[in-house]
Amino acid sequence: MAAVRKDVRIVVAGDKGTGKSSLIVTTMTEEFPTNVPPVLPPSRLPDDLFPDRVPITIIDTSSSAENRNKLAEELRQADAVVLTYACDQSATLDRLSTFWLPELRRLEVKVPVVVAGCKLDLRDEHQQVSLEQVMSPIMQQFREIETCIECSANKLIQIPEVFYYAQKAVLHPTAPLFDQETQTLRPRCIRALKRIFILCDRDRDGALSDAELNEFQVRCFSAPLQPSEIGGVKRVVQEKIPEGVNELGLTLSGFLYLHALFIEKGRLETTWTVLRKFGYDNDLRLSNDLLPPTFKKAPDQSVELANDAIDFLRAVFSSYANDIDSSIRFADLEMELFSTAPESPWSEGPYKDAVPTSALGGINLDGFLSGWSLMTLLDPAKSVEYLKYLMYDLDTTSAIHVTRKRRMDRKKQQTERNVFQCYVFGPRKAGKSALLNAFLGRPFVDSEASKTDDRYAVNLVANEKTGTKKTLILREIPETSVKTILQDKESLAACDVAVFLFDSSDESSWKKLTELLVDVAAHGEDTGYEVPSLIVAAKDDLVHYPNAIYDSARVSQDMGILAPVPISIKLGDYNNIFGKIVDAAEHPHLSIPETEAGRSRKQYHRLINRSLVFVSVGAAVAVVGLAAYRVYAARKSSSG
């Protein structure tokens, strides 16, 4: 169950003389005060005053200019705001739309607002107007207004109700559930209720039987329904939407209709009780207490899906894949597969367009699992959250696996990882985007747009010798981002292998690449996060610049890494580059570039270590010699 709020903080604001303090005192004492101070201290209502039994703290405020900063501070800390106007002063009503409501927006106070018309008993009897008529235009303009109410502290008319509605707006808000303009359930509310319906439909026949309805009722409200009550519910639904009930029970459309009906009748607490019993918070996401705590890992550890989660996802995919090419259309991901989640997690970056697609534009199983691997690597908490939305019912800790530190992999000269992240460095127009597109099986495009943001591509790569598959994630690093990235000490910790790509027909591209290679290698040496690296000579279909082969071979040899891999994306000659990237990642101790400074540093450390060994040996000889002398001296003394 989602966590319950411990208190509600309500701030009362409005023009001077509109009855703010009298409203508060009368609520506290149930008597109209004859004398009240200009501003009251914080007041706490009794816990049992309203059915939810959640304590309320009321904050009085001053509207004077000298207290404007204090007012702003209190409003920013509010859970709800009560704005007052005086029923006998029309100017104070006008000020709601000309000052107070715009002021809340200016301060970015995004909480429910209750408008309270005070001093109802002082309104001119000859100027009676409908509250709905007066407030409707204002509520159309300012959707943050939850409720409007008129009251009188002097006559004790609807005084506690002001704070009841304010508390209710916080505990049971309308906005996340219902669109007042269209009078329909909001999409995220429908998705949450659909998931709850499926969880309660134990036999998966698409309807809640009487027994399943009773289980649902007991779980949410701790009381069973009588057969006559169940029959009554079904009749109400069937009269309005015949498809809401069938011979098996209450269908999803009937379940959704009931909740829309509850909300229309002002019984939002009913729907909120259901949602919170199933762990939803006010944003209609699963609350943190249903998800695993923050994943603790070292910077050079990564997170992968465990076998239980992979098996679960395979089963989910097979239930939605079409029979034509065993893929799922991207539209169906949003509307069907992720229809029980707040939204599709892959509808925007970095996941959008990051996976391979089928010939018909759908996503196949490899692409589906690759997308989950990418999300698990970048945001493991989100990955586990979305597994829960898909009804993954095992312990969430069984869904993910934290890998061994890469430093340990390097010492052991092997890795157990199944997912590798490769950073793709290179100057502008070298062909980085073309490499990622080729990895995803997309056609070659001659012109390459300049990128300012990182881009990801993920796919499975088969080992030609063993037949096993590894997940490879390519992260394109724009040239302009390299300096910013290298300012972070741990920026290379998540990188399993780096690719340095240049245009082999352009000498300036090569020179820029060598600078990038040295900068990245030096950063790895300085931080201890050295990375296996490959140089890729792109655009091999063009004429190489003079000395291209000599220059690249010399630098590779000097830095202790493999010779550049020539490729031509345009001709489809990839030279098994993706397999070579995975092979480099699987051997974390090899092909690590070494700068001159790094090499000198290592030689210095080797010299120091050798000297220490020499000193240690010399000290040992001296100790042995001293011991021998003492034995000799002792024997000579005894013989004498």
Side-chain angles (χ1 to χ4, degrees):
M1 182 175 174
V4 178
R5 290 188 69 101
K6 294 182 179 179
D7 57 31
V8 174
R9 183 182 180 89
I10 300 173
V11 174
V12 182
D15 284 348
K16 182 179 179 181
T18 54
K20 299 187 295 293
S21 299
S22 295
L23 172 65
I24 297 170
V25 171
T26 306
T27 303
M28 298 291 297
T29 63
E30 298 183 1
E31 292 181 359
F32 180 68
T34 54
N35 226 341
V36 291
V39 180
L40 296 167
S43 308
R44 185 182 173 97
L45 294 181
D47 296 0
D48 59 354
L49 184 62
F50 302 128
D52 286 297
R53 302 183 68 85
V54 175
I56 295 176
T57 300
I58 304 175
I59 307 298
D60 194 10
T61 61
S62 169
S63 59
S64 62
E66 59 269 23
N67 288 303
R68 189 60 53 83
N69 289 338
K70 175 68 173 173
L71 171 64
E73 181 184 338
E74 294 291 3
L75 288 170
R76 288 194 179 103
Q77 296 179 49
D79 295 317
V81 173
V82 171
L83 289 181
T84 60
Y85 69 93
C87 291
D88 63 332
Q89 300 173 43
S90 59
T92 61
L93 174 61
D94 295 337
R95 286 260 299 166
L96 292 180
S97 53
T98 60
F99 174 74
W100 286 105
L101 288 161
E103 178 70 358
L104 291 180
R105 289 185 175 180
R106 187 187 71 80
L107 295 172
E108 297 184 348
V109 177
K110 298 177 181 179
V111 299
V113 175
V114 171
V115 172
C118 300
K119 305 185 180 183
L120 178 62
D121 55 301
L122 298 181
R123 176 186 285 161
D124 187 343
E125 294 181 3
H126 300 294
Q127 294 183 347
Q128 295 293 335
V129 289
S130 161
L131 178 62
E132 183 179 354
Q133 182 182 347
V134 170
M135 292 304 305
S136 184
I138 299 175
M139 293 183 75
Q140 287 289 329
Q141 184 181 356
F142 298 95
R143 295 285 179 183
E144 53 268 43
I145 299 175
E146 284 275 340
T147 307
C148 300
I149 185 173
E150 292 181 330
C151 60
S152 167
N154 189 19
K155 301 297 183 181
L156 302 181
I157 298 172
Q158 296 199 125
I159 293 299
E161 284 84 347
V162 172
F163 297 103
Y164 167 73
Y165 286 123
Q167 184 200 57
K168 186 177 179 181
V170 175
L171 301 180
H172 314 298
T174 304
L177 305 185
F178 200 71
D179 187 327
Q180 298 278 20
E181 194 167 340
T182 61
Q183 291 292 293
T184 56
L185 294 174
R186 291 194 181 275
R188 191 175 275 196
C189 178
I190 292 173
R191 288 165 171 263
L193 291 173
K194 180 178 179 180
R195 178 174 174 270
I196 291 170
F197 178 88
I198 294 172
L199 287 172
C200 294
D201 181 18
R202 296 187 177 278
D203 56 11
R204 295 294 191 267
D205 63 357
L208 298 183
S209 65
D210 289 2
E212 288 167 340
L213 270 174
N214 244 330
E215 286 181 24
F216 165 79
Q217 179 74 12
V218 170
R219 175 171 179 175
C220 295
F221 304 103
S222 304
L225 287 170
Q226 297 300 317
S228 59
E229 293 175 309
I230 293 176
V233 167
K234 289 180 180 179
R235 279 193 299 274
V236 168
V237 172
Q238 205 160 26
E239 284 174 6
K240 293 294 183 181
I241 50 168
E243 70 276 14
V245 177
N246 62 23
E247 66 277 5
L248 299 174
L250 186 71
T251 65
L252 174 61
S253 58
F255 187 72
L256 295 176
Y257 168 76
L258 278 177
H259 284 281
L261 187 63
F262 293 145
I263 294 168
E264 286 176 12
K265 292 184 176 296
R267 291 173 53 190
L268 288 97
E269 62 274 14
T270 302
T271 299
W272 274 116
T273 298
V274 170
L275 290 165
R276 288 177 178 138
K277 284 291 183 180
F278 282 85
Y280 285 89
D281 61 18
N282 276 15
D283 293 322
L284 297 184
R285 304 189 77 96
L286 289 176
S287 57
N288 291 333
D289 55 346
L290 285 184
L291 302 171
T294 305
F295 294 94
K296 293 182 179 179
K297 64 181 185 68
D300 60 345
Q301 288 180 289
S302 61
V303 183
E304 299 179 1
L305 287 171
N307 288 334
D308 284 344
I310 292 173
D311 291 342
F312 170 78
L313 289 171
R314 286 180 185 275
V316 169
F317 181 88
S318 65
S319 65
Y320 287 95
N322 64 52
D323 297 330
I324 301 174
D325 62 352
S326 298
S327 69
I328 302 175
R329 294 185 311 135
F330 278 92
D332 290 337
L333 278 179
E334 174 78 30
M335 301 304 296
E336 296 294 335
L337 194 146
F338 287 119
S339 64
T340 52
E343 56 271 322
S344 169
W346 301 344
S347 57
E348 53 189 43
Y351 311 108
K352 187 177 182 180
D353 297 328
V355 299
T357 56
S358 68
L360 297 178
I363 181 171
N364 59 22
L365 178 60
D366 283 356
F368 183 68
L369 294 178
S370 295
W372 277 95
S373 292
L374 176 61
M375 186 161 66
T376 304
L377 181 88
L378 299 182
D379 193 346
K382 184 174 185 177
S383 187
V384 171
E385 179 188 0
Y386 273 80
L387 282 170
K388 293 288 288 183
Y389 291 132
L390 298 186
M391 270 74 79
Y392 181 79
D393 56 3
L394 299 178
D395 181 1
T396 50
T397 56
S398 72
I400 51 99
H401 164 67
V402 179
T403 65
R404 190 168 63 192
K405 293 181 181 178
R406 193 152 49 80
R407 289 182 182 179
M408 185 62 66
D409 285 347
R410 202 158 57 238
K411 285 182 180 178
K412 292 183 176 291
Q413 300 187 2
Q414 62 179 359
T415 182
E416 299 170 345
R417 298 188 182 193
N418 294 304
V419 180
F420 299 112
Q421 181 169 200
C422 170
Y423 287 9
V424 181
F425 295 98
R428 288 180 65 247
K429 298 185 178 180
K432 299 188 296 294
S433 294
L435 180 71
L436 268 68
N437 287 335
F439 185 48
L440 298 176
R442 294 175 186 166
F444 173 77
V445 178
D446 212 0
S447 60
E448 182 178 320
S450 178
K451 300 261 188 330
T452 56
D453 297 324
D454 292 7
R455 177 195 165 197
Y456 290 87
V458 56
N459 205 345
L460 297 185
V461 177
N463 185 313
E464 294 178 352
K465 296 178 182 177
T466 64
T468 57
K469 290 184 177 181
K470 300 289 184 180
T471 302
L472 177 61
I473 296 169
L474 300 183
R475 177 186 175 189
E476 179 182 349
I477 310 291
E479 183 185 8
T480 53
S481 301
V482 175
K483 285 186 178 179
T484 304
I485 288 174
L486 296 185
Q487 289 174 358
D488 179 2
K489 179 182 176 182
E490 297 174 349
S491 58
L492 295 179
C495 177
D496 295 294
V497 57
V499 160
F500 294 86
L501 183 141
F502 73 101
D503 177 354
S504 58
S505 70
D506 182 355
E507 187 173 7
S508 65
S509 181
W510 165 250
K511 289 180 178 179
K512 289 178 181 177
L513 182 83
T514 55
E515 294 173 6
L516 287 173
L517 176 57
V518 170
D519 288 346
V520 173
H523 184 78
E525 290 169 340
D526 292 341
T527 60
Y529 295 119
E530 296 100 326
V531 179
S533 300
L534 292 175
I535 298 177
V536 176
K539 305 185 182 181
D540 195 43
D541 52 287
L542 302 179
V543 177
H544 293 186
Y545 78 86
N547 293 330
I549 297 175
Y550 171 77
D551 288 347
S552 58
R554 177 180 55 80
V555 169
S556 327
Q557 190 172 5
D558 287 349
M559 300 193 75
I561 59 178
L562 295 174
V565 181
I567 65 169
S568 170
I569 303 297
K570 185 174 183 178
L571 299 181
D573 181 8
Y574 304 151
N575 202 358
N576 191 31
I577 183 59
F578 306 118
K580 290 174 180 176
I581 293 172
V582 170
D583 186 65
E586 289 182 313
H587 298 85
H589 59 297
L590 300 178
S591 201
I592 295 176
E594 194 173 46
T595 64
E596 286 186 19
R599 191 178 300 113
S600 299
R601 197 180 304 134
K602 285 183 180 178
Q603 288 174 347
Y604 173 75
H605 285 307
R606 278 197 291 268
L607 181 63
I608 293 295
N609 289 336
R610 198 174 298 143
S611 300
L612 290 173
V613 170
F614 176 76
V615 170
S616 299
V617 171
V621 170
V623 169
V624 171
L626 180 60
Y629 171 77
R630 285 176 176 170
V631 170
Y632 168 76
R635 286 177 178 172
K636 185 176 180 182
S637 174
S638 61
S639 64

